[in-house]
């Protein structure tokens, strides 16, 4: 189980993590929450149902990582498609942000609930629902880090990014990116029928 997820009864999964891995995952999830931003809670006295019908932004985010997390629905070609993308974003981005925030919060809460043993290791056991939250958050973390590292869709194992010298300041983020990918892959494999 060390380093990869394994299936548990009831459709969940478990993975052994040490203190450093727990701290890294928690830190990355908190940073993702900060990037996504706070939710729009109804003001005191405001009708909570009104928040359900609140319109979101119509312009894409300027931060490249946020633009990757909240992409254009129809691309950016032509005024008609830009208008359709703006309309789509206006009615969907708030819900998408809420879901991404909830996924990251589940990661933080499940990590906070761990009690490491004397050696600093702990076994994280997730329910089926928590697995889905973790998959969403692992994906969002990889998209964010990949955007910051300028990883393209055509990157492969032979890419120079994967052979960085230890002195390169990007090396820790590349290692985190690859590790998150391995965690995500084993979680997906665990949940497949």
């Amino acid at each position: 189980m060390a380093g990869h997820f394994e299936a548990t009864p009831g459709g969940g999964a478990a993975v052994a993590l040490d203190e450093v891995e727990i701290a890294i995952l928690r830190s990355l999830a908190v940073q993702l929450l900060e990037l996504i931003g706070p939710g729009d809670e109804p003001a005191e006295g405001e009708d909570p149902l009104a928040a359900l019908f609140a319109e979101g932004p119509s312009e894409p985010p300027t931060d490249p990582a946020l633009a990757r997390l909240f992409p254009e629905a129809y691309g950016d070609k032509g005024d008609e498609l830009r208008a359709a993308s703006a309309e789509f974003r206006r009615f969907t981005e708030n819900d998408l942000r809420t879901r991404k925030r909830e996924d990251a919060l589940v990661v933080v809460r499940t990590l906070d609930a761990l009690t490491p043993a004397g050696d600093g290791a702990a076994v994280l056991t997730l329910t089926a629902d928590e697995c889905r939250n973790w998959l969403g958050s692992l994906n969002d973390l990889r998209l964010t880090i990949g955007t910051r590292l300028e990883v393209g869709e055509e990157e492969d194992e032979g890419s120079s990014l994967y052979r960085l010298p230890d002195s390169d300041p990007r090396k820790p983020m590349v290692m985190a990116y690859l590790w998150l990918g391995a965690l995500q892959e084993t979680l997906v494999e665990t949940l497949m029928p």
Side-chain angles (χ1 to χ4, degrees), residues 18-189:
D18 65 31
E19 286 181 278
V20 173
E21 292 168 330
I22 293 167
I24 291 169
L25 283 166
R26 188 182 191 292
S27 174
L28 290 172
V30 168
Q31 289 176 55
L32 181 63
L33 284 166
E34 292 170 355
L35 179 66
I36 293 169
D40 293 328
E41 297 296 322
E44 190 173 321
E46 184 182 343
D47 179 10
L49 290 177
L52 292 175
F53 299 104
E55 294 181 3
S58 59
E59 294 297 317
T62 55
D63 182 316
L66 283 174
R68 185 69 177 102
L69 292 174
F70 306 104
E72 289 293 310
Y74 304 107
D76 192 22
K77 297 186 170 96
D79 290 338
E80 197 171 302
L81 289 179
R82 267 193 294 281
S85 284
E87 186 79 358
F88 184 81
R89 179 178 300 281
R90 208 172 88 217
F91 292 109
T92 62
E93 188 170 312
N94 285 346
D95 288 339
L96 187 56
R97 278 182 186 268
T98 298
R99 195 195 85 229
K100 289 179 181 300
R101 200 171 11 264
E102 288 170 358
D103 289 346
L105 281 170
V106 167
V107 170
V108 171
R109 289 179 182 140
T110 55
L111 292 170
D112 285 349
L114 288 177
T115 307
D119 63 356
V123 175
L124 174 69
T125 304
L126 303 173
T127 65
D129 286 339
E130 290 169 337
C131 286
R132 285 186 281 283
N133 295 119
W134 267 75
L135 277 176
S137 200
L138 287 171
N139 186 62
D140 290 343
L141 287 169
R142 289 194 75 239
L143 286 173
T144 301
I145 293 170
T147 301
R148 297 288 191 239
L149 292 170
E150 298 178 351
V151 173
E153 290 181 25
E154 67 285 341
E155 295 290 334
D156 62 9
E157 294 298 323
S159 169
S160 61
L161 189 61
Y162 299 108
R163 296 186 313 262
L164 291 176
D166 290 342
S167 61
D168 192 302
R170 298 172 296 168
K171 182 76 172 204
M173 289 312 296
V174 169
M175 298 305 293
Y177 177 78
L178 295 173
W179 175 57
L180 291 170
L183 281 176
Q184 183 179 23
E185 182 178 352
T186 63
L187 184 53
V188 167
E189 289 170 354

